[in-house]
Each structure stands twice: as C-alpha cells, then as structure tokens.
C-alpha cells in the first residue's frame, strides 16, 4: 500500500536526457579555452519569473546550464505518485522552451544529483552551482548535505537563495512574521534577457513509461507557468469574490478556492508573486469604491492572510524535521502505533467505510488529486479518531493522492488533525453533520458514491438507517451494495476523546505543550504564546491549513 502507483524507474539509455547526444569532442573535454560553466539547479521552482538563481547566473562569466534531476530518492519515496512526476514533466517541457528562447539549455537527469553534477564537471567544467533553498522530506535534506560536501571537495561554489518565507537556521519565532512580510514586500527578481548558454544537444524528456511508472488516471490541473498565471488571474478577478463562503463545501470550493496549491508546490509561481498580485488587486478594489463589489475586499484579505500560514507551517518542518516521522509532542508516542488495523486502513483508502461523506471525499480525491481543506481535515479526523489509525500511514497514502503535496504543510496538518501536536484544539468531525452542512441536497455524495443514487435525501448521510423495504426500493442493500458503517460513530469518538483528553491533562503533556508553543507557535497579534492555564490555553480555532486550495 505504501508504494502504490510507483514502479521501479528504469530509464533507457543515457541518464542525462539531452546532455551528451551529439556533443562534439570540444564539448566533452575541459581545456584551457573552455570557460567553466554555471549550473542552475531547478528543484521546486519550475519557472522563469522571480527566480533569483537564474538572475545570478546571468551576471556570472562563462556559459550557463539549467539542470533538473529526477532523483531515485524522490521516485522511490512513499510520498511520490506518478501524478507528481507527470506534472513535473509537463512543467519542464514548458520551462525548457521558455529558457531556450533566452539561450539557456535545460538538461534533465535521471539518477542521483551528484552523478549529474559529476558528469557535467567532466564534460563542461562547473565553477558555480546556483539553486533555491528547499524545505522537504528527510531524503532531500540528506541529499543537500551530500551535494554541499561534494561541492566543497571539488572547489565548486554552491549558492542557495530563499524563495519562500521560510528562514534557515531560525533561532526564534519572535519577529518571524515581520521577516515574512519583508520578504513578500521585496521587489520581484527581474527576469534576465538571456544567458550565454553552454552548447549541448537536447533530447526529448523521458516519459512515465521510460521511467518505469504507471499511469495515474487522474483528472488533474494543467501544469506549467502559463497555466499558473491564468489560474491566479481568474481567481483574483473572477472566481475569488465568494472565497470565504466557498471554502467549506467540496461543491463550491472546487471553483471558489484559488486552486494555486499545485503551482506553489512545484514553484511555477512564487509565494511573493501571488502575494503581490493579491495586494495589487486589493488596492484596485479599494480605489474602485462603489464601482466594485465590496465583498471582494474581505475575500482577498482572507486569501492574503493564508499565504502567511503557508510559510508558517513550512517553517515548522524546517525547524523540526523529525515531525515527518515522529509525534510533534512525544508524550503521544505509543498512543496509536500498536493499534493499527489494516482492515480499517484499507477500507478508508478505498472509500468503503460505510460513511457516505467520507467515502465520497476519498473517491473524489483519488480521481482528481484535489479536495478542499475541510473535507481533507474530515478524512484525517475520521481516520485518526473514528478508526484510530496512526497519522504516518494515513499521511503517506494522502501524500500520494494530493497533487499539491507540500511536506512541511502536509505533516503539520496530519498531526494537527490527529491531535498529536499538543497545542491545537481537538477537532473531531462528524461525517453525518458534514454531509448535512456541506452537501445538503446530496449532489456530491451521489456523484461519487453512485451506489446511493436512489437513497432518499433524508437518509443519504446515514443509509444504514434505511429499513429493509427502503433498501430494496433504493436498490442499495447495506452490506451488499454498500458497506455498513465500519465503526459506531458515537462509541468510537467517545473512546478517542477519553484516551486523548486523559493524556493531554497530565503535567507532562502540559509542560511539553508549553515548550512546543514557545518554539513553533504563531507570534501574530492576539494569539497566545503559552499553554496550560485556562487563561493561556491555545485559541479554540486553530490556524487554517496553509495549502491554498485547502481552504
């Protein structure tokens, strides 16, 4: 289950796609007359605009090469799905064209990063390596450490540039919000007119089949920088006016949310570009006065605020990378680990829990790669509290389903929604109430759980309450056409609350919560910085999710 959708990458032929096909001898040997080159290493920044490494490369002497690496560590990771790889490849196709018209070739390597750099060092000579910083899973951190060691050993200057509000080696959260605001307010990096590109012949990008990956079959969003700007503009000028009212229902959120999260995850837009475009739109609404619907102002301000939370959660992983693997609050160690029920997990993954809203959300997510925040939170809540499943296993499965998977945001949210941060209010969602509130006429459930198409609306959230005659009339016999509830709602929630609240009330848990809040808690005005006493307990409404399409 943990590697579903990913095969064993088996690239055909040369692993540096397009690097050496057709090179002349002068290009494959470093001589006195050949200038040492600069390599721009693309990671989660698949764009040309507001790209500091590209601008820096244009100012350095000598030829420049662009490099993207399809790393085995990524392709084999339990978070990776072929939808992520396909989205990246589509972004790369557009990026390669945008760079080519400015004279810069983009090479794509299948294999370890150091292997690609070593090949380029032998063939072209490498003096400088430029890239953006990345806050990612443990494998990416280990990779960066290895690249830094390799660069030092070979006399190559590696310079990294910040591209989000995440601050490396942050000592204290005090003042972080102000630093974020300063970064977002800085002028965007000007796009260079062109580069002195190194001479290489480019082959086609690899396909999923060549990488040994299976098709994902999802209907996902369009990829690339042009698509990202189109989505941004449509949200700011057409779709975003009802933003605050559209967040909760999977029906209205599909169009009313920004839908920018995949583009931020792959870097086809920078956070700063989105923030500044939003501020421009806010000023335009203000200046328009009565000529512009005033509801836009509140919607845009709400959206801009969530960009702050986007980096807030990523900063947590930067400061505490262990939260990818272990409980944020260690007092919860052992709470769920030994109770993992594979049968419940499989039913949850398949959308066969017997709770229609849960199953509809899971099936929708698996088909499209996207789901709005409240419904994502409900899926995690149901898995964590009703089914008592550990967040690590469910988090890996969801990471493969989310096209917009962003590690820092994802793992913080998994722990927040499963109650292991120690500082956030437990939010246990009722699947029945969520269906009644956010799918009141049953459109969403009937679309994704067609077994229930003829169930009366009043019983659609709770089909197990149908009598035998009603089941036959609806063509849906519970236990035959659609499963009975996998657990009893009230009993499961009662047991989960007893176990969690009992633990949270201990002196050890309170002390650890205070330490976590002091290190990772928001410093925004009005939010407490300590927990424990009634006066200083955390706010009842936790911070919203940071992925833009989650809310």
């Amino acid at each position: 289950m943990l590697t579903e959708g990913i095969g064993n990458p088996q690239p055909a032929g040369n692993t540096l796609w397009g690097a050496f096909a057709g090179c002349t001898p002068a290009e494959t040997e470093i001589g006195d007359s050949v200038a040492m080159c600069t390599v721009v290493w693309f990671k989660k920044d698949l764009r040309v605009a507001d790209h500091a490494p590209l601008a820096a490369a244009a100012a350095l002497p000598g030829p420049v090469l662009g490099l993207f690496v399809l790393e085995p560590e990524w392709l084999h990771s339990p978070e990776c799905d072929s939808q992520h790889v396909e989205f990246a490849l589509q972004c790369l196709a557009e990026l390669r064209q945008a760079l080519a018209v400015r004279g810069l070739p983009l090479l794509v390597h299948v294999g370890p990063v150091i292997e690609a750099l070593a090949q380029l060092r032998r063939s072209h000579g490498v003096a400088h390596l430029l890239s953006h910083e990345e806050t990612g899973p443990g494998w990416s951190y280990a990779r960066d450490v290895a690249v830094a060691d390799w660069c030092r050993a070979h006399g190559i200057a590696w310079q990294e540039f910040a591209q989000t509000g995440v601050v490396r080696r942050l000592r204290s959260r005090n003042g972080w919000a102000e630093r974020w605001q300063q970064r977002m307010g800085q002028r965007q990096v000007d796009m260079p007119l062109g580069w002195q590109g190194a001479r290489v012949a480019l082959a086609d990008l690899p396909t999923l089949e060549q990488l040994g990956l299976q098709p994902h079959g999802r209907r996902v969003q369009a990829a690339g920088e042009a698509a990202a700007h189109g989505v941004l503009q449509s949200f700011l000028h057409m779709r975003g006016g009802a933003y605050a009212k559209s967040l909760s229902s999977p029906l209205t959120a599909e169009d009313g949310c920004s839908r920018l999260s995949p583009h931020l995850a792959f870097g086809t837009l920078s956070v700063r570009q989105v923030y500044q475009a939003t501020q421009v739109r806010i000023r335009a609404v203000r200046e328009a006065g009565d000529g512009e619907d005033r509801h836009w102002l509140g919607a845009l301000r709400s959206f801009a605020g969530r960009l702050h939370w986007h980096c807030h959660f990523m900063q947590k992983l930067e400061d505490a990378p262990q939260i990818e693997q272990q409980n944020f609050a260690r007092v919860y160690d052992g709470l769920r680990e030994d109770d993992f029920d594979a049968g419940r997990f499989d039913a949850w993954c398949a959308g066969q829990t017997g709770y229609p809203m849960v199953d509809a959300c899971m099936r929708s997510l698996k088909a499209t790669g996207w789901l709005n925040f409240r419904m994502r939170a409900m899926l995690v809540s149901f898995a964590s509290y009703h089914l008592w499943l550990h967040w690590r296993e469910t988090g890996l499965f969801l990471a493969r389903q989310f096209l917009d998977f962003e590690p820092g945001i994802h793992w913080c949210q998994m722990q927040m929604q499963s109650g292991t941060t120690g500082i956030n209010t437990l939010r246990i969602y009722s699947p029945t109430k969520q269906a009644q509130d956010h799918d009141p006429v049953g459109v969403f459930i009937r679309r994704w759980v067609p077994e229930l198409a003829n169930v009366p609306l009043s019983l659609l959230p709770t089909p197990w309450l149908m009598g035998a005659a009603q089941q036959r009339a609806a063509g849906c016999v519970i236990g035959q056409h659609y499963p009975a509830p996998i657990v009893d709602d009230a009993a499961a929630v009662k047991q989960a609350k007893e176990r969690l609240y009992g633990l949270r009330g201990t002196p050890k848990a309170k002390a650890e919560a205070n330490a976590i809040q002091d290190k990772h808690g928001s410093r925004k005005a009005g939010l407490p910085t300590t927990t424990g006493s009634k006066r200083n307990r955390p706010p009842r409404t936790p911070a919203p999710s940071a992925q833009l399409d989650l809310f």
Side-chain angles (χ1 to χ4, degrees):
M1 184 63 72
L2 296 186
T3 56
E4 178 183 85
I6 285 293
N8 184 27
Q10 298 291 334
N14 198 327
T15 57
L16 197 54
W17 291 77
F20 301 115
C23 287
T24 65
E27 292 170 315
T28 56
E29 295 182 5
I30 303 172
D32 294 337
S33 61
V34 178
M36 301 285 278
C37 77
T38 293
V39 174
V40 177
W41 176 17
F42 289 88
K43 297 181 182 178
K44 296 163 67 175
D45 53 354
L46 304 182
R47 63 181 184 275
V48 176
D50 197 27
H51 199 289
L54 284 175
L60 291 172
V64 182
L65 287 164
L67 175 67
F68 181 85
V69 185
L70 289 159
E71 302 165 73
E73 295 88 348
W74 178 42
L75 299 176
H76 293 159
S77 71
E79 304 96 340
C80 184
D81 185 85
S82 58
Q83 67 168 328
H84 301 135
V85 181
E86 183 176 68
F87 193 90
L89 290 172
Q90 291 174 357
C91 292
L92 290 169
E94 181 184 292
L95 179 63
R96 176 178 271 188
Q97 292 179 351
L99 294 173
V101 298
R102 295 173 176 84
L104 181 63
L106 176 62
L107 311 179
V108 176
H109 177 77
V110 182
V113 173
I114 291 178
E115 179 181 276
L117 294 173
Q119 289 187 40
L120 291 174
R121 180 173 174 269
R122 290 191 298 268
S123 62
H124 290 75
V126 178
H128 299 275
L129 177 64
L130 306 176
S131 71
H132 275 121
E133 295 174 348
E134 178 182 2
T135 300
W139 67 262
S140 69
Y141 175 80
R143 177 229 29 222
D144 283 354
V145 170
V147 169
D149 290 342
W150 184 86
C151 287
R152 281 191 294 268
H154 293 88
I156 295 171
W158 180 19
Q159 184 176 2
E160 295 183 274
F161 300 81
Q163 74 161 336
T164 67
V166 175
V167 179
R168 284 276 173 92
R169 293 172 288 278
L170 184 68
R171 294 185 178 182
S172 170
R173 272 289 182 138
N174 294 332
W176 181 87
E178 290 76 15
R179 293 176 71 171
W180 181 89
Q181 194 70 45
Q182 182 182 27
R183 282 192 184 181
M184 294 304 110
Q186 290 174 348
R187 178 179 174 177
Q188 294 179 30
V189 178
D190 291 332
M191 187 186 307
L193 296 177
W195 297 267
Q196 177 191 344
R199 293 175 58 199
V200 294
L202 297 179
D204 292 337
L205 295 174
T207 64
L208 289 181
E209 183 179 6
Q210 289 169 325
L211 293 171
L213 305 181
Q214 298 298 317
H216 55 81
R218 295 181 178 88
R219 303 188 298 275
V220 300
Q221 290 181 235
E225 194 169 3
H229 283 279
V231 172
L232 175 61
Q233 292 307 309
S234 73
F235 175 73
L236 293 179
H237 295 274
M238 293 179 285
R239 298 183 291 109
Y243 178 64
K245 296 180 179 179
S246 301
L247 300 178
S248 296
S249 170
L251 295 169
T252 55
E254 185 176 356
D255 188 62
C257 282
S258 76
R259 306 306 301 268
L260 287 168
S261 55
H263 296 290
L264 288 176
F266 286 87
T268 51
L269 281 172
S270 69
V271 180
R272 178 164 54 198
Q273 285 177 294
V274 177
Y275 178 79
Q276 292 186 4
T278 304
Q279 294 303 316
V280 168
R281 178 73 171 116
I282 289 174
R283 288 193 292 271
V285 171
R286 284 202 196 108
E287 293 170 1
D290 294 337
E292 182 73 64
D293 275 340
R294 303 304 293 175
H295 69 275
W296 270 98
L297 201 56
L300 293 168
R301 285 172 174 167
S302 177
F303 174 73
R306 281 158 170 78
L307 290 169
H308 171 277
W309 291 112
H310 177 277
C311 299
H312 166 81
F313 287 111
M314 292 174 65
Q315 185 72 54
K316 290 188 179 186
L317 182 64
E318 179 74 27
D319 296 341
Q322 69 274 12
I323 66 173
E324 176 193 2
Q325 300 283 349
Q326 66 187 36
N327 290 323
F328 219 129
R330 301 307 302 276
V331 72
Y332 297 102
D333 288 357
L335 185 67
R336 293 185 177 96
E337 287 86 336
D338 296 334
D339 293 337
F340 193 84
D341 187 313
R344 291 182 176 185
F345 177 70
D346 289 344
W348 177 79
C349 292
Q352 293 286 346
T353 67
Y355 285 90
M357 197 61 170
V358 172
D359 295 339
C361 287
M362 182 62 81
R363 296 182 194 187
S364 172
L365 171 61
K366 292 173 68 175
T368 67
W370 181 85
L371 189 66
N372 65 311
F373 168 61
R374 179 175 286 271
M375 296 302 105
R376 295 192 192 198
M378 182 194 66
L379 285 180
V380 180
S381 167
F382 187 84
S384 300
Y385 301 120
H386 289 77
L387 304 184
W388 205 245
L389 298 172
H390 193 277
W391 56 265
R392 175 66 183 171
E393 299 300 319
T394 56
L396 289 173
F397 177 81
L398 289 176
R400 295 193 296 274
Q401 312 312 313
F402 296 152
L403 177 63
D404 54 20
F405 170 64
E406 176 64 60
I409 298 169
H410 182 78
W411 292 117
C412 285
Q413 285 298 315
M414 289 302 304
Q415 297 219 39
M416 282 179 62
Q417 302 301 336
S418 62
T420 56
T421 65
I423 62 174
N424 298 100
T425 301
L426 299 183
R427 297 183 71 85
I428 302 177
Y429 292 80
S430 163
T432 300
K433 188 175 188 301
Q434 293 304 307
Q436 294 167 340
D437 290 350
H438 302 299
D439 188 26
V441 295
V443 173
F444 186 74
I445 289 176
R446 296 186 199 279
R447 177 192 304 172
W448 293 106
V449 190
E451 307 96 297
L452 305 176
N454 296 318
V455 172
L457 178 60
S458 62
L459 292 170
L460 189 59
T462 56
W464 60 88
L465 296 180
M466 290 191 296
Q470 288 176 306
Q471 293 182 37
R472 289 193 298 271
C476 181
V477 177
I478 301 301
Q480 179 179 343
H481 302 110
Y482 184 69
I486 192 170
V487 293
D488 178 84
D489 186 354
V493 169
K494 181 177 183 293
Q495 184 179 39
K497 285 182 176 181
E498 288 175 349
R499 298 176 74 172
L500 278 160
Y501 280 119
L503 188 55
R504 284 169 72 97
T506 63
K508 183 178 180 181
K510 291 179 179 179
E512 188 172 18
N514 284 333
I516 291 171
Q517 183 69 41
D518 287 341
K519 180 176 181 179
H520 297 286
S522 171
R523 301 297 193 268
K524 295 190 75 175
L527 294 184
T529 57
T530 59
T531 62
S533 69
K534 182 176 181 180
R535 181 166 53 91
N536 291 323
R537 66 176 48 157
R540 289 187 61 81
T541 302
S545 168
Q547 284 174 270
L548 291 179
D549 278 339
L550 299 196
F551 48 84

